[in-house]
Amino acid sequence: MRVCVVGGGGREHALATVLGRTATSVVITPGNPGIPGSVAIPPEEIEADLWVIGPEQPLVDGLADRLRSAGKLVFGPGADGARLEGSKAWMKELLVDAGVPTARHGAFNDEAPAMAFLDTFGDLFVIKTDGLAAGKGVLVTTDRAEAIDDVRAKLRDGGVVIEEGLTGPEISVFAVCDGTNAVALAPAQDHKRVGDGDTGPNTGGMGAYSPVPAATDDVVNLVMESSVLPTLQQLTKRGVDYRGVLFAGLMLTPEGPKMLEYNVRFGDPETQVVLPRMTSDLVELLAGAAAGDVRGEPTFSTDAALTVVCASEHYPAAPRLGDPIQGIADAELVPGVTVFCAGVGPGMVTSGGRVLNVTALAPTIGEARERAYEAVGRISWPGMHYRTDIAGSVL
Ligand code: AMP
Ligand code: GLY
């Protein structure tokens, strides 16, 4: 099968690499200069048998619908399903209707009811933008004054969602859906804050690892039964034929797993640790789901994978771009290491906030971490920074 991957980040580099194990050919549009097979051709004009759409924006903009109406086989939801990520308020309403365990919340467009609702929470405030924010529109704080300011700022930009603060380890579960059925991939854990020890602002993700000891098979099965399948049923009720990834972002609270949010695409950088562990055929899985018939449980190596995101100076506030990247080839000489390229521009210079995902496979998470950091040590550009504590909580 000839596969076309749409997108240009580390997630798409990992998708293209793992799809390439069994595909006849893989092209990636637009890709980036660090990803082999990158072409600057619109997805509609590429000759392929299967289209896999990586990022949320083209999904929200209806790319999957346009391709499907041209008769193409597409893995990725239409604009109707992508609303799950495009509007947190709509997602929350659907979660409640589906009976999915989630944080108590309210969605507001006006200040007075928003502030009254904020007053019903005691110590931990969670304030979210009601719109696409690339994982960066969320404030979690114990400071009431900061929470009030943030509610006002988010109301000025549109709507705001206010939530009960939950605590516990966070996991990401990717459910591959065919409209009615779904199968889960191996869980991963992301590290959202920019700094070591979960300090500083939220980012798109600074590193990830898989498997996650707390996310046992029983936990994943529970999430599929109590959350993902009821969500698919609700989507069907609303006339949405959801063929793509439902990315469940969960907190394992003392009362059980609770849904923080859904995304309508693979996670970045979680994909960079989940897919390299896969031992079954990804092309067959995604093509089956795209055709409305997802079959067989995907299988995964017992090896662990860990990825470290190398970011540009001043990411996430104001990343500096255009710095030459050194040492990728050297880094890949470390056994088990692959470097997935994200914010990489022509001439191999930095062109985004998150630049590289240095990913290692090894028999244990500890060994994967040693390999990944040895490889990171071989890479450099002015101002490069990364977290030094990926998977620290489980070692
Ligand atoms: P989201 O974009 O909704 O996944 O939120 C981004 C991050 O904010 C999550 O990964 C969590 O770390 C944190 N977060 C979101 N909602 C909550 C909540 N209800 N309680 C505690 N932390 C949360
Ligand atoms: N790493 C989190 C996300 O992809 O949204």
Side-chain angles (χ1 to χ4, degrees), residues 88 91-92 102-104 124-128 133-140 162-168 170 190 192-193 202-203 247 249-251 259-263:
K88 281 196 194 286
M91 170 188 67
K92 277 295 205 171
T102 185
R104 186 164 70 88
L124 191 59
F125 305 97
V126 180
I127 322 287
K128 302 188 176 185
K136 292 159 215 156
V138 178
L139 175 74
V140 181
I162 301 174
E163 274 189 17
E164 166 194 10
L166 302 175
T167 50
E170 236 179 290
D190 186 13
K192 292 221 164 89
R193 302 278 182 145
N202 263 325
T203 69
F247 161 177
L250 298 143
M251 207 162 249
M259 194 66 63
L260 293 177
E261 64 161 356
Y262 277 122
N263 294 302

mmCIF file of all heavy atoms in Angstrom, residues 88 91-92 102-104 124-128 133-140 162-168 170 190 192-193 202-203 247 249-251 259-263, ligand 1:
data_model
loop_
_atom_site.group_PDB
_atom_site.id
_atom_site.type_symbol
_atom_site.label_atom_id
_atom_site.label_comp_id
_atom_site.label_asym_id
_atom_site.label_seq_id
_atom_site.Cartn_x
_atom_site.Cartn_y
_atom_site.Cartn_z
ATOM 1 N N LYS A 88 -13.552 22.671 23.557
ATOM 2 C CA LYS A 88 -13.540 21.924 24.823
ATOM 3 C C LYS A 88 -14.941 21.859 25.409
ATOM 4 O O LYS A 88 -15.293 20.891 26.078
ATOM 5 C CB LYS A 88 -12.564 22.558 25.809
ATOM 6 C CG LYS A 88 -11.116 22.186 25.507
ATOM 7 C CD LYS A 88 -10.205 22.471 26.684
ATOM 8 C CE LYS A 88 -8.735 22.442 26.303
ATOM 9 N NZ LYS A 88 -8.195 21.111 26.061
ATOM 10 N N MET A 91 -16.749 19.061 23.703
ATOM 11 C CA MET A 91 -16.189 17.794 24.176
ATOM 12 C C MET A 91 -16.742 17.442 25.550
ATOM 13 O O MET A 91 -17.153 16.309 25.799
ATOM 14 C CB MET A 91 -14.668 17.881 24.251
ATOM 15 C CG MET A 91 -14.049 16.685 24.957
ATOM 16 S SD MET A 91 -12.305 16.884 25.257
ATOM 17 C CE MET A 91 -12.289 18.197 26.441
ATOM 18 N N LYS A 92 -16.775 18.432 26.442
ATOM 19 C CA LYS A 92 -17.224 18.182 27.807
ATOM 20 C C LYS A 92 -18.691 17.768 27.824
ATOM 21 O O LYS A 92 -19.077 16.858 28.562
ATOM 22 C CB LYS A 92 -17.021 19.444 28.659
ATOM 23 C CG LYS A 92 -15.601 19.576 29.189
ATOM 24 C CD LYS A 92 -15.307 18.444 30.154
ATOM 25 C CE LYS A 92 -14.241 18.790 31.147
ATOM 26 N NZ LYS A 92 -14.142 17.755 32.199
ATOM 27 N N THR A 102 -15.176 12.256 34.449
ATOM 28 C CA THR A 102 -14.379 13.441 34.119
ATOM 29 C C THR A 102 -14.501 14.463 35.248
ATOM 30 O O THR A 102 -15.306 14.289 36.154
ATOM 31 C CB THR A 102 -14.848 14.023 32.763
ATOM 32 O OG1 THR A 102 -13.995 15.093 32.396
ATOM 33 C CG2 THR A 102 -16.282 14.508 32.798
ATOM 34 N N ALA A 103 -13.704 15.522 35.194
ATOM 35 C CA ALA A 103 -13.731 16.543 36.253
ATOM 36 C C ALA A 103 -15.028 17.352 36.177
ATOM 37 O O ALA A 103 -15.539 17.615 35.090
ATOM 38 C CB ALA A 103 -12.536 17.479 36.090
ATOM 39 N N ARG A 104 -15.538 17.771 37.353
ATOM 40 C CA ARG A 104 -16.684 18.691 37.383
ATOM 41 C C ARG A 104 -16.265 19.986 36.682
ATOM 42 O O ARG A 104 -15.143 20.460 36.850
ATOM 43 C CB ARG A 104 -17.017 18.981 38.849
ATOM 44 C CG ARG A 104 -18.265 19.788 39.069
ATOM 45 C CD ARG A 104 -18.683 19.674 40.524
ATOM 46 N NE ARG A 104 -17.778 20.371 41.453
ATOM 47 C CZ ARG A 104 -17.883 21.645 41.794
ATOM 48 N NH1 ARG A 104 -18.835 22.408 41.301
ATOM 49 N NH2 ARG A 104 -17.034 22.189 42.655
ATOM 50 N N LEU A 124 -7.474 24.165 44.096
ATOM 51 C CA LEU A 124 -6.796 24.009 42.812
ATOM 52 C C LEU A 124 -7.749 24.450 41.709
ATOM 53 O O LEU A 124 -8.847 23.933 41.583
ATOM 54 C CB LEU A 124 -6.394 22.533 42.631
ATOM 55 C CG LEU A 124 -5.456 22.191 41.484
ATOM 56 C CD1 LEU A 124 -4.127 22.936 41.594
ATOM 57 C CD2 LEU A 124 -5.188 20.679 41.442
ATOM 58 N N PHE A 125 -7.299 25.444 40.915
ATOM 59 C CA PHE A 125 -8.156 25.988 39.861
ATOM 60 C C PHE A 125 -7.615 25.581 38.501
ATOM 61 O O PHE A 125 -6.412 25.667 38.260
ATOM 62 C CB PHE A 125 -8.183 27.525 39.941
ATOM 63 C CG PHE A 125 -8.608 28.031 41.292
ATOM 64 C CD1 PHE A 125 -7.665 28.400 42.244
ATOM 65 C CD2 PHE A 125 -9.956 28.126 41.613
ATOM 66 C CE1 PHE A 125 -8.047 28.861 43.489
ATOM 67 C CE2 PHE A 125 -10.356 28.590 42.848
ATOM 68 C CZ PHE A 125 -9.397 28.959 43.798
ATOM 69 N N VAL A 126 -8.501 25.146 37.635
ATOM 70 C CA VAL A 126 -8.092 24.765 36.284
ATOM 71 C C VAL A 126 -8.935 25.571 35.300
ATOM 72 O O VAL A 126 -10.167 25.482 35.298
ATOM 73 C CB VAL A 126 -8.294 23.245 36.053
ATOM 74 C CG1 VAL A 126 -7.866 22.859 34.644
ATOM 75 C CG2 VAL A 126 -7.497 22.444 37.073
ATOM 76 N N ILE A 127 -8.254 26.371 34.475
ATOM 77 C CA ILE A 127 -8.938 27.284 33.558
ATOM 78 C C ILE A 127 -8.482 26.955 32.137
ATOM 79 O O ILE A 127 -7.273 26.903 31.873
ATOM 80 C CB ILE A 127 -8.560 28.765 33.853
ATOM 81 C CG1 ILE A 127 -8.423 29.038 35.356
ATOM 82 C CG2 ILE A 127 -9.508 29.729 33.154
ATOM 83 C CD1 ILE A 127 -9.680 29.095 36.126
ATOM 84 N N LYS A 128 -9.447 26.740 31.234
ATOM 85 C CA LYS A 128 -9.089 26.335 29.867
ATOM 86 C C LYS A 128 -9.721 27.257 28.836
ATOM 87 O O LYS A 128 -10.830 27.742 29.021
ATOM 88 C CB LYS A 128 -9.574 24.901 29.606
ATOM 89 C CG LYS A 128 -9.000 23.887 30.581
ATOM 90 C CD LYS A 128 -9.339 22.464 30.203
ATOM 91 C CE LYS A 128 -8.641 21.507 31.183
ATOM 92 N NZ LYS A 128 -8.821 20.098 30.810
ATOM 93 N N ALA A 133 -5.803 25.254 21.185
ATOM 94 C CA ALA A 133 -4.725 26.002 21.824
ATOM 95 C C ALA A 133 -3.430 25.200 21.856
ATOM 96 O O ALA A 133 -2.510 25.547 22.575
ATOM 97 C CB ALA A 133 -5.140 26.413 23.225
ATOM 98 N N ALA A 134 -3.387 24.116 21.073
ATOM 99 C CA ALA A 134 -2.185 23.274 20.975
ATOM 100 C C ALA A 134 -1.662 22.869 22.351
ATOM 101 O O ALA A 134 -0.465 22.852 22.595
ATOM 102 C CB ALA A 134 -1.098 23.972 20.160
ATOM 103 N N GLY A 135 -2.571 22.532 23.247
ATOM 104 C CA GLY A 135 -2.157 22.067 24.570
ATOM 105 C C GLY A 135 -1.618 23.159 25.468
ATOM 106 O O GLY A 135 -1.131 22.902 26.554
ATOM 107 N N LYS A 136 -1.706 24.407 25.011
ATOM 108 C CA LYS A 136 -1.086 25.480 25.785
ATOM 109 C C LYS A 136 -2.118 26.426 26.403
ATOM 110 O O LYS A 136 -1.763 27.407 27.020
ATOM 111 C CB LYS A 136 -0.104 26.265 24.896
ATOM 112 C CG LYS A 136 1.105 25.423 24.525
ATOM 113 C CD LYS A 136 1.815 25.939 23.295
ATOM 114 C CE LYS A 136 2.380 24.791 22.478
ATOM 115 N NZ LYS A 136 2.569 25.101 21.087
ATOM 116 N N GLY A 137 -3.403 26.130 26.209
ATOM 117 C CA GLY A 137 -4.432 27.058 26.691
ATOM 118 C C GLY A 137 -4.939 26.756 28.087
ATOM 119 O O GLY A 137 -6.015 27.190 28.447
ATOM 120 N N VAL A 138 -4.151 26.001 28.882
ATOM 121 C CA VAL A 138 -4.640 25.551 30.185
ATOM 122 C C VAL A 138 -3.811 26.151 31.323
ATOM 123 O O VAL A 138 -2.589 26.086 31.295
ATOM 124 C CB VAL A 138 -4.567 24.011 30.277
ATOM 125 C CG1 VAL A 138 -5.032 23.524 31.633
ATOM 126 C CG2 VAL A 138 -5.387 23.380 29.166
ATOM 127 N N LEU A 139 -4.512 26.745 32.297
ATOM 128 C CA LEU A 139 -3.811 27.205 33.502
ATOM 129 C C LEU A 139 -4.248 26.324 34.667
ATOM 130 O O LEU A 139 -5.439 26.140 34.900
ATOM 131 C CB LEU A 139 -4.169 28.670 33.811
ATOM 132 C CG LEU A 139 -3.584 29.189 35.129
ATOM 133 C CD1 LEU A 139 -2.086 29.453 35.008
ATOM 134 C CD2 LEU A 139 -4.296 30.443 35.602
ATOM 135 N N VAL A 140 -3.268 25.747 35.374
ATOM 136 C CA VAL A 140 -3.545 24.992 36.589
ATOM 137 C C VAL A 140 -2.843 25.749 37.706
ATOM 138 O O VAL A 140 -1.623 25.899 37.675
ATOM 139 C CB VAL A 140 -2.989 23.547 36.500
ATOM 140 C CG1 VAL A 140 -3.303 22.768 37.765
ATOM 141 C CG2 VAL A 140 -3.549 22.821 35.277
ATOM 142 N N ILE A 162 -14.057 26.132 33.080
ATOM 143 C CA ILE A 162 -13.462 26.085 34.431
ATOM 144 C C ILE A 162 -13.705 24.684 34.991
ATOM 145 O O ILE A 162 -14.809 24.151 34.864
ATOM 146 C CB ILE A 162 -14.112 27.143 35.343
ATOM 147 C CG1 ILE A 162 -13.908 28.535 34.737
ATOM 148 C CG2 ILE A 162 -13.531 27.068 36.760
ATOM 149 C CD1 ILE A 162 -14.638 29.639 35.494
ATOM 150 N N GLU A 163 -12.646 24.101 35.590
ATOM 151 C CA GLU A 163 -12.747 22.700 36.020
ATOM 152 C C GLU A 163 -12.237 22.484 37.421
ATOM 153 O O GLU A 163 -11.337 23.180 37.891
ATOM 154 C CB GLU A 163 -11.842 21.828 35.133
ATOM 155 C CG GLU A 163 -12.477 21.388 33.899
ATOM 156 C CD GLU A 163 -11.626 20.354 33.164
ATOM 157 O OE1 GLU A 163 -10.702 19.744 33.774
ATOM 158 O OE2 GLU A 163 -11.898 20.189 31.987
ATOM 159 N N GLU A 164 -12.753 21.425 38.022
ATOM 160 C CA GLU A 164 -12.220 20.890 39.266
ATOM 161 C C GLU A 164 -10.781 20.408 39.006
ATOM 162 O O GLU A 164 -10.516 19.807 37.957
ATOM 163 C CB GLU A 164 -13.120 19.701 39.629
ATOM 164 C CG GLU A 164 -12.626 18.777 40.668
ATOM 165 C CD GLU A 164 -13.466 17.464 40.681
ATOM 166 O OE1 GLU A 164 -14.291 17.217 39.768
ATOM 167 O OE2 GLU A 164 -13.243 16.715 41.625
ATOM 168 N N GLY A 165 -9.873 20.679 39.933
ATOM 169 C CA GLY A 165 -8.501 20.197 39.783
ATOM 170 C C GLY A 165 -8.400 18.738 40.214
ATOM 171 O O GLY A 165 -8.850 18.370 41.296
ATOM 172 N N LEU A 166 -7.839 17.905 39.363
ATOM 173 C CA LEU A 166 -7.659 16.485 39.682
ATOM 174 C C LEU A 166 -6.185 16.231 39.965
ATOM 175 O O LEU A 166 -5.319 16.964 39.486
ATOM 176 C CB LEU A 166 -8.098 15.616 38.505
ATOM 177 C CG LEU A 166 -9.533 15.784 38.034
ATOM 178 C CD1 LEU A 166 -9.775 14.951 36.775
ATOM 179 C CD2 LEU A 166 -10.507 15.380 39.134
ATOM 180 N N THR A 167 -5.911 15.166 40.703
ATOM 181 C CA THR A 167 -4.510 14.816 40.956
ATOM 182 C C THR A 167 -4.285 13.333 40.688
ATOM 183 O O THR A 167 -5.198 12.525 40.850
ATOM 184 C CB THR A 167 -4.101 15.123 42.412
ATOM 185 O OG1 THR A 167 -5.082 14.557 43.276
ATOM 186 C CG2 THR A 167 -4.002 16.608 42.671
ATOM 187 N N GLY A 168 -3.056 13.005 40.314
ATOM 188 C CA GLY A 168 -2.690 11.617 40.023
ATOM 189 C C GLY A 168 -1.810 11.580 38.796
ATOM 190 O O GLY A 168 -1.655 12.595 38.126
ATOM 191 N N GLU A 170 -0.688 11.104 35.020
ATOM 192 C CA GLU A 170 -1.417 11.354 33.778
ATOM 193 C C GLU A 170 -0.954 10.371 32.714
ATOM 194 O O GLU A 170 0.238 10.126 32.587
ATOM 195 C CB GLU A 170 -1.039 12.757 33.310
ATOM 196 C CG GLU A 170 -2.206 13.658 33.113
ATOM 197 C CD GLU A 170 -1.758 15.039 32.677
ATOM 198 O OE1 GLU A 170 -1.169 15.745 33.511
ATOM 199 O OE2 GLU A 170 -2.018 15.393 31.517
ATOM 200 N N ASP A 190 3.367 11.641 28.982
ATOM 201 C CA ASP A 190 3.964 12.858 28.438
ATOM 202 C C ASP A 190 4.491 13.702 29.614
ATOM 203 O O ASP A 190 4.141 13.444 30.769
ATOM 204 C CB ASP A 190 2.839 13.600 27.702
ATOM 205 C CG ASP A 190 3.311 14.828 26.960
ATOM 206 O OD1 ASP A 190 4.519 15.006 26.786
ATOM 207 O OD2 ASP A 190 2.441 15.621 26.551
ATOM 208 N N LYS A 192 4.428 17.645 30.319
ATOM 209 C CA LYS A 192 3.923 18.848 29.651
ATOM 210 C C LYS A 192 4.626 20.146 30.031
ATOM 211 O O LYS A 192 4.702 21.065 29.234
ATOM 212 C CB LYS A 192 2.422 18.997 29.928
ATOM 213 C CG LYS A 192 1.615 17.894 29.255
ATOM 214 C CD LYS A 192 0.328 18.415 28.648
ATOM 215 C CE LYS A 192 -0.270 17.450 27.667
ATOM 216 N NZ LYS A 192 -1.188 16.479 28.247
ATOM 217 N N ARG A 193 5.133 20.199 31.261
ATOM 218 C CA ARG A 193 5.769 21.462 31.676
ATOM 219 C C ARG A 193 7.157 21.575 31.069
ATOM 220 O O ARG A 193 7.848 20.579 30.874
ATOM 221 C CB ARG A 193 5.895 21.522 33.203
ATOM 222 C CG ARG A 193 4.574 21.404 33.913
ATOM 223 C CD ARG A 193 3.874 22.736 33.940
ATOM 224 N NE ARG A 193 2.630 22.633 34.670
ATOM 225 C CZ ARG A 193 2.144 23.600 35.422
ATOM 226 N NH1 ARG A 193 2.786 24.745 35.550
ATOM 227 N NH2 ARG A 193 1.004 23.448 36.033
ATOM 228 N N ASN A 202 3.175 25.232 30.651
ATOM 229 C CA ASN A 202 2.836 24.060 29.850
ATOM 230 C C ASN A 202 3.352 24.220 28.430
ATOM 231 O O ASN A 202 3.423 25.327 27.901
ATOM 232 C CB ASN A 202 1.314 23.894 29.788
ATOM 233 C CG ASN A 202 0.810 22.905 30.818
ATOM 234 O OD1 ASN A 202 1.465 21.914 31.130
ATOM 235 N ND2 ASN A 202 -0.354 23.175 31.355
ATOM 236 N N THR A 203 3.693 23.094 27.816
ATOM 237 C CA THR A 203 4.155 23.079 26.423
ATOM 238 C C THR A 203 3.320 22.046 25.680
ATOM 239 O O THR A 203 2.442 21.418 26.268
ATOM 240 C CB THR A 203 5.626 22.642 26.350
ATOM 241 O OG1 THR A 203 5.695 21.247 26.705
ATOM 242 C CG2 THR A 203 6.512 23.451 27.268
ATOM 243 N N PHE A 247 -7.585 10.229 21.098
ATOM 244 C CA PHE A 247 -6.456 10.299 22.031
ATOM 245 C C PHE A 247 -7.049 10.714 23.373
ATOM 246 O O PHE A 247 -7.519 11.834 23.532
ATOM 247 C CB PHE A 247 -5.474 11.297 21.465
ATOM 248 C CG PHE A 247 -4.444 11.906 22.384
ATOM 249 C CD1 PHE A 247 -3.503 12.774 21.826
ATOM 250 C CD2 PHE A 247 -4.351 11.668 23.746
ATOM 251 C CE1 PHE A 247 -2.531 13.386 22.607
ATOM 252 C CE2 PHE A 247 -3.387 12.268 24.536
ATOM 253 C CZ PHE A 247 -2.483 13.132 23.964
ATOM 254 N N GLY A 249 -6.683 11.684 27.040
ATOM 255 C CA GLY A 249 -5.752 12.207 28.044
ATOM 256 C C GLY A 249 -6.401 12.024 29.407
ATOM 257 O O GLY A 249 -7.414 12.653 29.698
ATOM 258 N N LEU A 250 -5.831 11.121 30.217
ATOM 259 C CA LEU A 250 -6.491 10.711 31.463
ATOM 260 C C LEU A 250 -5.649 11.000 32.676
ATOM 261 O O LEU A 250 -4.426 10.996 32.607
ATOM 262 C CB LEU A 250 -6.702 9.197 31.433
ATOM 263 C CG LEU A 250 -7.589 8.677 30.325
ATOM 264 C CD1 LEU A 250 -7.067 7.357 29.821
ATOM 265 C CD2 LEU A 250 -9.006 8.534 30.838
ATOM 266 N N MET A 251 -6.332 11.197 33.803
ATOM 267 C CA MET A 251 -5.623 11.250 35.068
ATOM 268 C C MET A 251 -6.054 10.036 35.871
ATOM 269 O O MET A 251 -7.254 9.756 35.977
ATOM 270 C CB MET A 251 -5.946 12.541 35.794
ATOM 271 C CG MET A 251 -4.837 12.954 36.722
ATOM 272 S SD MET A 251 -5.014 14.689 37.149
ATOM 273 C CE MET A 251 -3.645 15.427 36.327
ATOM 274 N N MET A 259 -11.232 11.368 32.532
ATOM 275 C CA MET A 259 -10.838 11.963 31.255
ATOM 276 C C MET A 259 -10.550 13.445 31.436
ATOM 277 O O MET A 259 -11.394 14.194 31.920
ATOM 278 C CB MET A 259 -11.995 11.793 30.269
ATOM 279 C CG MET A 259 -11.624 12.040 28.838
ATOM 280 S SD MET A 259 -10.475 10.817 28.193
ATOM 281 C CE MET A 259 -11.443 9.316 28.291
ATOM 282 N N LEU A 260 -9.339 13.864 31.079
ATOM 283 C CA LEU A 260 -9.043 15.303 31.073
ATOM 284 C C LEU A 260 -9.507 15.902 29.763
ATOM 285 O O LEU A 260 -10.090 16.971 29.715
ATOM 286 C CB LEU A 260 -7.543 15.550 31.217
ATOM 287 C CG LEU A 260 -6.895 15.176 32.540
ATOM 288 C CD1 LEU A 260 -5.406 15.436 32.466
ATOM 289 C CD2 LEU A 260 -7.522 15.957 33.677
ATOM 290 N N GLU A 261 -9.188 15.192 28.694
ATOM 291 C CA GLU A 261 -9.563 15.727 27.382
ATOM 292 C C GLU A 261 -9.398 14.653 26.332
ATOM 293 O O GLU A 261 -8.695 13.673 26.529
ATOM 294 C CB GLU A 261 -8.658 16.899 27.017
ATOM 295 C CG GLU A 261 -7.211 16.468 26.849
ATOM 296 C CD GLU A 261 -6.359 17.441 26.067
ATOM 297 O OE1 GLU A 261 -6.879 18.438 25.565
ATOM 298 O OE2 GLU A 261 -5.159 17.160 25.946
ATOM 299 N N TYR A 262 -10.061 14.886 25.212
ATOM 300 C CA TYR A 262 -9.805 14.098 24.012
ATOM 301 C C TYR A 262 -9.080 14.976 23.016
ATOM 302 O O TYR A 262 -9.356 16.168 22.902
ATOM 303 C CB TYR A 262 -11.110 13.663 23.349
ATOM 304 C CG TYR A 262 -11.730 12.427 23.938
ATOM 305 C CD1 TYR A 262 -13.020 12.459 24.461
ATOM 306 C CD2 TYR A 262 -11.047 11.218 23.944
ATOM 307 C CE1 TYR A 262 -13.611 11.318 24.979
ATOM 308 C CE2 TYR A 262 -11.632 10.076 24.474
ATOM 309 C CZ TYR A 262 -12.905 10.131 24.989
ATOM 310 O OH TYR A 262 -13.482 9.000 25.498
ATOM 311 N N ASN A 263 -8.158 14.351 22.277
ATOM 312 C CA ASN A 263 -7.640 14.973 21.068
ATOM 313 C C ASN A 263 -8.035 14.059 19.920
ATOM 314 O O ASN A 263 -8.306 12.873 20.136
ATOM 315 C CB ASN A 263 -6.126 15.141 21.133
ATOM 316 C CG ASN A 263 -5.717 16.139 22.207
ATOM 317 O OD1 ASN A 263 -6.122 17.288 22.185
ATOM 318 N ND2 ASN A 263 -4.937 15.689 23.178
HETATM 319 P P1 AMP B 1 -5.538 19.663 28.485
HETATM 320 O O1 AMP B 1 -5.090 20.510 27.310
HETATM 321 O O2 AMP B 1 -6.983 19.787 28.806
HETATM 322 O O3 AMP B 1 -5.054 18.248 28.421
HETATM 323 O O4 AMP B 1 -4.734 20.220 29.720
HETATM 324 C C1 AMP B 1 -3.330 20.358 29.693
HETATM 325 C C2 AMP B 1 -2.755 19.885 31.001
HETATM 326 O O5 AMP B 1 -3.335 20.606 32.107
HETATM 327 C C3 AMP B 1 -3.082 18.440 31.283
HETATM 328 O O6 AMP B 1 -2.190 17.602 30.658
HETATM 329 C C4 AMP B 1 -2.973 18.403 32.788
HETATM 330 O O7 AMP B 1 -1.646 18.290 33.200
HETATM 331 C C5 AMP B 1 -3.499 19.738 33.210
HETATM 332 N N1 AMP B 1 -4.941 19.612 33.535
HETATM 333 C C6 AMP B 1 -5.965 19.709 32.669
HETATM 334 N N2 AMP B 1 -7.146 19.536 33.302
HETATM 335 C C7 AMP B 1 -6.863 19.314 34.592
HETATM 336 C C8 AMP B 1 -7.651 19.069 35.764
HETATM 337 N N3 AMP B 1 -8.986 19.023 35.711
HETATM 338 N N4 AMP B 1 -6.999 18.891 36.927
HETATM 339 C C9 AMP B 1 -5.652 18.940 36.990
HETATM 340 N N5 AMP B 1 -4.853 19.171 35.935
HETATM 341 C C10 AMP B 1 -5.431 19.354 34.742
#
